[in-house]
Amino acid sequence: MAIFKTSNPALGEKTFTGTAQEYANQPGLQFGERFGGNLGDLTSRMTLNGTINRTGILLVCAMATAAWTWHLFLQAQQTEDISAWGAGAPWMLVGLFGGFICAMVTIFKKEWSPITAPAYALLEGLALGGISAAFELRYPGIAIQAVGLTFATLFVLLLAYRSGLIRVTQKFRLGVVAATGGIAVFYLVEMLLGFFGVRFTSINGSGAIGIGFSLIIVAVAALNLVLDFDFIEKGVQYGAPKYMEWYGAFGIMVTLIWLYLEMLRLLSKINRRN
């Protein structure tokens, strides 16, 4: 049997198989003792519909807090109230660092995901609202364009995956994982060199190279969604515990947030070029 991989750090190798086997193989321990059912009770297992529903809940959580910080930043711009900017910026920082901490806790404590996944979505919403507002102030209309493109990409890829138009083979997985790893290394090197004043102006600029680079990253981020769909489907097949629905939804959120931010960067480059 092939090893199911995804470049999403939240949905690492053996995430689902490990949790399912861990509880199924423990002597004297039934699913019911931990999750309110037993091995024959399907309500104690992960389902596709349950994961979709929980993904929707996380999206609502992120949008709610994003709308709040968005309002704070735009209100500051409209009223030219510097104190309003000061009130919104700390919440954005709380979202950035708090979301990272929640993500790490969720990855290492998957059974806590019914609590930590919504907390992650709420915190990331705080950060996304501020980031989106900053882009919106410079390029009016860019935020709704990025949201639209992100969700359009999600639904198109989901349809393509469910229809069998896109098949997740081992070579496909390895290619996307390698590309994602390369992007992560590049971003890390770019950040470290930035402390020494080294800038990749052509890549970050609005020229053909910069836009082409962003298009590649958007494509890789989008293909990660396909791996996530496949990985969640395998989790359902393996009969993973019910709480893994929250964990699977968390993994989708991680990819969607990355895709949305890359959409913002791409659209900002196109706007600068125009």
Side-chain angles (χ1 to χ4, degrees):
M1 180 177 296
I3 297 176
F4 303 107
K5 293 184 179 181
T6 170
S7 50
N8 187 333
L11 303 178
E13 182 181 336
K14 299 183 180 178
T15 296
F16 291 112
T17 57
T19 53
Q21 293 172 358
E22 175 185 352
Y23 291 101
N25 295 334
Q26 285 185 22
L29 179 61
Q30 300 295 320
F31 273 107
E33 298 175 10
R34 295 291 293 273
F35 307 106
N38 53 57
L39 287 175
D41 183 5
L42 294 179
T43 61
S44 67
R45 300 185 186 184
M46 178 183 185
T47 66
L48 187 59
N49 286 338
T51 305
I52 292 172
N53 292 338
R54 280 149 182 75
T55 302
I57 293 172
L58 296 188
L59 285 171
V60 170
C61 290
M63 289 179 179
T65 50
W68 185 56
T69 48
W70 168 281
H71 173 73
L72 287 178
F73 279 96
L74 291 189
Q75 185 182 47
Q77 189 269 340
Q78 292 170 358
T79 61
E80 298 183 355
D81 183 3
I82 302 300
S83 63
W85 279 98
W91 287 110
M92 190 174 72
L93 294 176
V94 167
L96 286 171
F97 292 106
F100 176 77
I101 292 172
C102 273
M104 292 298 101
V105 172
T106 306
I107 290 171
F108 291 104
K109 286 290 185 179
K110 301 173 185 63
E111 62 273 20
W112 293 2
S113 57
I115 296 174
T116 56
Y120 167 81
L122 289 168
L123 288 165
E124 283 298 317
L126 293 175
L128 291 176
I131 294 171
S132 300
F135 276 94
E136 183 70 17
L137 291 175
R138 188 167 184 180
Y139 309 108
I142 191 174
I144 190 63
Q145 292 172 10
V147 170
L149 286 172
T150 299
F151 281 103
T153 302
L154 170 65
F155 290 123
V156 168
L157 288 176
L158 180 58
L159 180 63
Y161 173 74
R162 296 297 295 173
S163 66
L165 186 62
I166 297 180
R167 298 187 182 276
V168 182
T169 64
Q170 189 67 7
K171 289 183 179 180
F172 179 89
R173 291 188 190 96
L174 292 175
V176 176
V177 169
T180 305
I183 292 170
V185 171
F186 173 79
Y187 278 158
L188 179 60
V189 171
E190 182 182 35
M191 182 181 66
L192 293 176
L193 292 179
F195 291 114
F196 300 97
V198 179
R199 299 286 186 272
F200 297 90
T201 54
S202 60
I203 290 177
N204 293 313
S206 58
I209 294 177
I211 292 176
F213 182 76
S214 287
L215 283 171
I216 292 173
I217 295 181
V218 165
V220 173
L223 290 176
N224 270 272
L225 284 173
V226 177
L227 295 190
D228 294 344
F229 299 151
D230 181 70
F231 206 79
I232 289 171
E233 189 172 49
K234 297 302 183 293
V236 174
Q237 293 175 4
Y238 281 119
K242 191 71 174 176
Y243 68 80
M244 293 299 287
E245 292 177 350
W246 285 104
Y247 190 77
F250 161 74
I252 290 289
M253 282 295 296
V254 171
T255 304
L256 280 178
I257 289 172
W258 177 34
L259 178 60
Y260 171 71
L261 292 174
E262 294 299 343
M263 287 289 189
L264 278 177
R265 292 189 65 186
L266 172 61
L267 291 172
S268 69
K269 290 180 179 181
I270 294 174
N271 275 273
R272 289 204 305 270
R273 188 178 180 86
N274 295 334

